[in-house]
Amino acid sequence: MPEDALIMIPAIVTDELSDSPETAFELGLEWGVRHFELRGMHDARVPRLSPTQRRRLLRAIRDFDVRISAISPGLFKIPLPPDSAQSSNLAWMDREFHDAWADAETLLRDHVERLLPESLEFAVASGAQYLIAFSFHRGGRPSGRAPGRVADVLAHAAELARSANVSLIIENEESHWANTGALSAALIAATGAPIGINWDPANALIDGDTPWPDGYAACRHLVRNVHFKDARVHADNSWELLADGDVDWAGQVRALEEDGYAGCVAMEPHLWPSVASVRNALSRFNSLKNN
């Protein structure tokens, strides 16, 4: 493939490399990576940092002259509360059901009323183009069409993001409503909102998808960011993350190239030791990209 066709941008999720973003920036730049995705810093997750952490992080972005492709605050990576609490003829059990439901509603309000605007403000401050959100944990319910409330919440979030000149993208995640390529695309269509996908083929594989070609074919028009990791699902449906698993990354990278994908592919191996795992993932991705 000609050099000018290699348009995908390698990126690194900083806390995969180090819980110190400064260290992640320094190492990434040594490896030729200038784009980074922000998620965790030490024992906190963006945007809920201490004033000192926030100041140091924004200063490091400026001083290292790096580009922040996306932030991932864990928005809506929570259970969706049912419409009402379960009930019981037993008073103590009835109270427990109500308390659990009320706690879930409180957490949802925190995400919608506080974490969402805090995240958008931080995305603007850090120069991030994308805010990564999730689609609510299914709570043991089978994979399928998401409840209408999921689409409503995501549509609201997308409208607020648009007003802040930030783009909302949904990460497909195992055990969430947006898990496979097809179900992620269907959920976004149900919102009627300008939402893209943070495509994670390994997450799709874990929940039963064939990420390439099937899953990607269903959502390729929505892909705005990609996570690079690998996994294997065993015969008993248990799974593990591996440096080289069962995702057809050769086919996936080739398809991204053929589609003219010009966004980031962020290294997110979820493996230890961190530095070696990210370095190896980056080397593997670059080898696939250059074939």
Short mmCIF file of all heavy atoms in Angstrom, two decimals, residues 156-193:
data_model
loop_
_atom_site.label_atom_id
_atom_site.label_comp_id
_atom_site.label_asym_id
_atom_site.label_seq_id
_atom_site.Cartn_x
_atom_site.Cartn_y
_atom_site.Cartn_z
N HIS A 156 -29.96 12.81 24.82
CA HIS A 156 -29.77 14.02 25.63
C HIS A 156 -28.29 14.35 25.77
O HIS A 156 -27.87 15.51 25.61
CB HIS A 156 -30.40 13.82 27.01
CG HIS A 156 -30.04 14.87 28.00
ND1 HIS A 156 -30.56 16.15 27.97
CD2 HIS A 156 -29.19 14.83 29.07
CE1 HIS A 156 -30.04 16.86 28.96
NE2 HIS A 156 -29.22 16.09 29.65
N ALA A 157 -27.48 13.33 26.04
CA ALA A 157 -26.03 13.55 26.19
C ALA A 157 -25.41 14.06 24.90
O ALA A 157 -24.54 14.94 24.90
CB ALA A 157 -25.35 12.26 26.65
N ALA A 158 -25.86 13.50 23.78
CA ALA A 158 -25.31 13.92 22.48
C ALA A 158 -25.64 15.36 22.18
O ALA A 158 -24.82 16.10 21.61
CB ALA A 158 -25.86 13.01 21.38
N GLU A 159 -26.84 15.80 22.56
CA GLU A 159 -27.23 17.19 22.32
C GLU A 159 -26.38 18.14 23.16
O GLU A 159 -25.92 19.19 22.68
CB GLU A 159 -28.71 17.39 22.63
CG GLU A 159 -29.22 18.77 22.31
CD GLU A 159 -29.01 19.17 20.86
OE1 GLU A 159 -29.13 18.29 19.97
OE2 GLU A 159 -28.71 20.35 20.60
N LEU A 160 -26.15 17.80 24.43
CA LEU A 160 -25.28 18.63 25.26
C LEU A 160 -23.86 18.65 24.71
O LEU A 160 -23.20 19.69 24.71
CB LEU A 160 -25.28 18.12 26.70
CG LEU A 160 -26.52 18.36 27.54
CD1 LEU A 160 -26.28 17.91 28.97
CD2 LEU A 160 -26.94 19.82 27.52
N ALA A 161 -23.38 17.50 24.24
CA ALA A 161 -22.04 17.44 23.68
C ALA A 161 -21.94 18.33 22.44
O ALA A 161 -20.96 19.07 22.28
CB ALA A 161 -21.68 16.00 23.33
N ARG A 162 -22.94 18.27 21.59
CA ARG A 162 -22.90 19.08 20.37
C ARG A 162 -22.85 20.57 20.71
O ARG A 162 -22.15 21.33 20.06
CB ARG A 162 -24.11 18.77 19.49
CG ARG A 162 -24.13 19.59 18.21
CD ARG A 162 -25.06 19.01 17.17
NE ARG A 162 -26.42 18.83 17.65
CZ ARG A 162 -27.41 18.37 16.88
NH1 ARG A 162 -27.18 18.03 15.62
NH2 ARG A 162 -28.62 18.22 17.38
N SER A 163 -23.57 20.97 21.76
CA SER A 163 -23.57 22.38 22.14
C SER A 163 -22.21 22.82 22.66
O SER A 163 -21.89 24.01 22.67
CB SER A 163 -24.64 22.64 23.19
OG SER A 163 -24.33 22.00 24.42
N ALA A 164 -21.39 21.84 23.10
CA ALA A 164 -20.04 22.14 23.58
C ALA A 164 -18.98 21.91 22.51
O ALA A 164 -17.79 21.99 22.79
CB ALA A 164 -19.73 21.29 24.81
N ASN A 165 -19.42 21.61 21.28
CA ASN A 165 -18.51 21.31 20.17
C ASN A 165 -17.65 20.08 20.45
O ASN A 165 -16.47 20.02 20.08
CB ASN A 165 -17.62 22.52 19.84
CG ASN A 165 -18.42 23.66 19.24
OD1 ASN A 165 -19.29 23.46 18.41
ND2 ASN A 165 -18.13 24.87 19.70
N VAL A 166 -18.25 19.12 21.12
CA VAL A 166 -17.62 17.83 21.40
C VAL A 166 -18.51 16.76 20.80
O VAL A 166 -19.74 16.90 20.78
CB VAL A 166 -17.44 17.61 22.92
CG1 VAL A 166 -16.90 16.21 23.22
CG2 VAL A 166 -16.53 18.68 23.52
N SER A 167 -17.93 15.69 20.30
CA SER A 167 -18.71 14.59 19.71
C SER A 167 -18.81 13.43 20.69
O SER A 167 -17.80 12.98 21.24
CB SER A 167 -18.05 14.11 18.42
OG SER A 167 -18.06 15.12 17.43
N LEU A 168 -20.03 12.97 20.92
CA LEU A 168 -20.26 11.81 21.78
C LEU A 168 -20.08 10.54 20.96
O LEU A 168 -20.63 10.41 19.86
CB LEU A 168 -21.67 11.86 22.36
CG LEU A 168 -21.99 10.77 23.40
CD1 LEU A 168 -21.30 11.09 24.72
CD2 LEU A 168 -23.50 10.65 23.60
N ILE A 169 -19.31 9.60 21.49
CA ILE A 169 -19.17 8.29 20.86
C ILE A 169 -19.40 7.21 21.91
O ILE A 169 -19.04 7.37 23.07
CB ILE A 169 -17.79 8.11 20.17
CG1 ILE A 169 -16.63 8.33 21.16
CG2 ILE A 169 -17.66 9.05 18.98
CD1 ILE A 169 -15.26 8.08 20.53
N ILE A 170 -20.05 6.14 21.49
CA ILE A 170 -20.41 5.05 22.40
C ILE A 170 -19.43 3.91 22.20
O ILE A 170 -19.25 3.42 21.08
CB ILE A 170 -21.84 4.56 22.12
CG1 ILE A 170 -22.85 5.72 22.22
CG2 ILE A 170 -22.21 3.44 23.10
CD1 ILE A 170 -22.84 6.44 23.53
N GLU A 171 -18.83 3.48 23.29
CA GLU A 171 -17.96 2.30 23.22
C GLU A 171 -18.80 1.05 23.36
O GLU A 171 -19.57 0.90 24.31
CB GLU A 171 -16.90 2.34 24.32
CG GLU A 171 -16.00 1.11 24.31
CD GLU A 171 -14.78 1.24 25.19
OE1 GLU A 171 -14.46 2.36 25.64
OE2 GLU A 171 -14.12 0.20 25.43
N ASN A 172 -18.66 0.14 22.39
CA ASN A 172 -19.31 -1.16 22.54
C ASN A 172 -18.58 -1.95 23.63
O ASN A 172 -17.35 -2.00 23.67
CB ASN A 172 -19.34 -1.93 21.22
CG ASN A 172 -17.95 -2.28 20.72
OD1 ASN A 172 -17.19 -1.40 20.33
ND2 ASN A 172 -17.62 -3.57 20.72
N GLU A 173 -19.34 -2.51 24.53
CA GLU A 173 -18.77 -3.14 25.73
C GLU A 173 -19.54 -4.41 26.05
O GLU A 173 -20.78 -4.43 25.98
CB GLU A 173 -18.84 -2.16 26.91
CG GLU A 173 -18.38 -2.71 28.23
CD GLU A 173 -16.88 -2.58 28.46
OE1 GLU A 173 -16.18 -2.22 27.51
OE2 GLU A 173 -16.42 -2.85 29.58
N GLU A 174 -18.81 -5.45 26.43
CA GLU A 174 -19.49 -6.68 26.81
C GLU A 174 -20.41 -6.42 28.00
O GLU A 174 -20.12 -5.60 28.86
CB GLU A 174 -18.47 -7.78 27.15
CG GLU A 174 -17.71 -7.59 28.44
CD GLU A 174 -16.46 -6.75 28.30
OE1 GLU A 174 -16.21 -6.22 27.21
OE2 GLU A 174 -15.74 -6.61 29.32
N SER A 175 -21.55 -7.09 28.00
CA SER A 175 -22.56 -7.01 29.06
C SER A 175 -23.32 -5.68 29.07
O SER A 175 -24.08 -5.42 30.00
CB SER A 175 -21.96 -7.27 30.45
OG SER A 175 -21.36 -8.55 30.49
N HIS A 176 -23.10 -4.85 28.05
CA HIS A 176 -23.83 -3.59 27.92
C HIS A 176 -24.80 -3.69 26.75
O HIS A 176 -24.72 -4.62 25.94
CB HIS A 176 -22.87 -2.42 27.74
CG HIS A 176 -22.15 -2.03 28.99
ND1 HIS A 176 -21.33 -2.90 29.68
CD2 HIS A 176 -22.12 -0.86 29.69
CE1 HIS A 176 -20.83 -2.29 30.75
NE2 HIS A 176 -21.31 -1.06 30.78
N TRP A 177 -25.69 -2.71 26.62
CA TRP A 177 -26.68 -2.77 25.55
C TRP A 177 -26.04 -2.62 24.18
O TRP A 177 -26.47 -3.25 23.22
CB TRP A 177 -27.78 -1.73 25.79
CG TRP A 177 -28.65 -2.10 26.95
CD1 TRP A 177 -28.68 -1.53 28.18
CD2 TRP A 177 -29.61 -3.17 27.00
NE1 TRP A 177 -29.58 -2.16 29.01
CE2 TRP A 177 -30.17 -3.17 28.29
CE3 TRP A 177 -30.04 -4.12 26.07
CZ2 TRP A 177 -31.14 -4.09 28.68
CZ3 TRP A 177 -31.01 -5.04 26.46
CH2 TRP A 177 -31.55 -5.02 27.75
N ALA A 178 -25.05 -1.76 24.08
CA ALA A 178 -24.26 -1.66 22.84
C ALA A 178 -23.06 -2.58 23.01
O ALA A 178 -22.05 -2.19 23.61
CB ALA A 178 -23.82 -0.22 22.58
N ASN A 179 -23.17 -3.79 22.51
CA ASN A 179 -22.09 -4.76 22.69
C ASN A 179 -21.53 -5.23 21.35
O ASN A 179 -20.33 -5.25 21.13
CB ASN A 179 -22.56 -5.94 23.54
CG ASN A 179 -23.82 -6.61 23.00
OD1 ASN A 179 -24.45 -6.13 22.06
ND2 ASN A 179 -24.17 -7.74 23.60
N THR A 180 -22.39 -5.60 20.43
CA THR A 180 -21.96 -6.03 19.10
C THR A 180 -22.03 -4.85 18.13
O THR A 180 -22.61 -3.80 18.43
CB THR A 180 -22.87 -7.16 18.58
OG1 THR A 180 -24.18 -6.62 18.34
CG2 THR A 180 -22.95 -8.30 19.58
N GLY A 181 -21.46 -5.05 16.96
CA GLY A 181 -21.53 -4.00 15.96
C GLY A 181 -22.97 -3.68 15.57
O GLY A 181 -23.37 -2.52 15.49
N ALA A 182 -23.77 -4.72 15.34
CA ALA A 182 -25.15 -4.51 14.89
C ALA A 182 -26.00 -3.86 15.96
O ALA A 182 -26.77 -2.92 15.68
CB ALA A 182 -25.76 -5.84 14.47
N LEU A 183 -25.88 -4.31 17.21
CA LEU A 183 -26.70 -3.73 18.28
C LEU A 183 -26.25 -2.32 18.62
O LEU A 183 -27.07 -1.48 19.00
CB LEU A 183 -26.68 -4.64 19.50
CG LEU A 183 -27.46 -5.94 19.35
CD1 LEU A 183 -27.26 -6.84 20.56
CD2 LEU A 183 -28.96 -5.66 19.15
N SER A 184 -24.97 -2.04 18.49
CA SER A 184 -24.49 -0.67 18.72
C SER A 184 -25.07 0.26 17.66
O SER A 184 -25.55 1.36 17.97
CB SER A 184 -22.96 -0.64 18.67
OG SER A 184 -22.40 -1.44 19.68
N ALA A 185 -25.04 -0.17 16.40
CA ALA A 185 -25.59 0.65 15.33
C ALA A 185 -27.09 0.85 15.50
O ALA A 185 -27.62 1.95 15.27
CB ALA A 185 -25.29 0.02 13.98
N ALA A 186 -27.80 -0.20 15.92
CA ALA A 186 -29.24 -0.10 16.11
C ALA A 186 -29.58 0.87 17.25
O ALA A 186 -30.54 1.66 17.14
CB ALA A 186 -29.83 -1.48 16.41
N LEU A 187 -28.81 0.83 18.33
CA LEU A 187 -29.06 1.74 19.44
C LEU A 187 -28.84 3.19 19.01
O LEU A 187 -29.64 4.08 19.32
CB LEU A 187 -28.16 1.39 20.62
CG LEU A 187 -28.21 2.35 21.81
CD1 LEU A 187 -29.63 2.52 22.34
CD2 LEU A 187 -27.27 1.87 22.92
N ILE A 188 -27.76 3.44 18.28
CA ILE A 188 -27.49 4.81 17.83
C ILE A 188 -28.59 5.28 16.88
O ILE A 188 -29.05 6.43 16.97
CB ILE A 188 -26.10 4.88 17.18
CG1 ILE A 188 -25.03 4.74 18.27
CG2 ILE A 188 -25.92 6.18 16.40
CD1 ILE A 188 -23.62 4.66 17.75
N ALA A 189 -29.06 4.40 16.02
CA ALA A 189 -30.16 4.78 15.13
C ALA A 189 -31.41 5.14 15.94
O ALA A 189 -32.13 6.08 15.59
CB ALA A 189 -30.46 3.64 14.16
N ALA A 190 -31.65 4.42 17.03
CA ALA A 190 -32.83 4.69 17.86
C ALA A 190 -32.74 6.04 18.55
O ALA A 190 -33.79 6.64 18.86
CB ALA A 190 -33.00 3.58 18.90
N THR A 191 -31.55 6.54 18.79
CA THR A 191 -31.42 7.85 19.45
C THR A 191 -31.77 8.98 18.50
O THR A 191 -32.17 10.06 18.95
CB THR A 191 -29.98 8.08 19.96
OG1 THR A 191 -29.08 8.26 18.86
CG2 THR A 191 -29.52 6.94 20.85
N GLY A 192 -31.58 8.79 17.21
CA GLY A 192 -31.77 9.86 16.26
C GLY A 192 -30.80 11.00 16.44
O GLY A 192 -31.02 12.12 15.96
N ALA A 193 -29.69 10.75 17.10
CA ALA A 193 -28.73 11.79 17.45
C ALA A 193 -27.40 11.56 16.74
O ALA A 193 -27.10 10.43 16.32
CB ALA A 193 -28.51 11.80 18.96
#
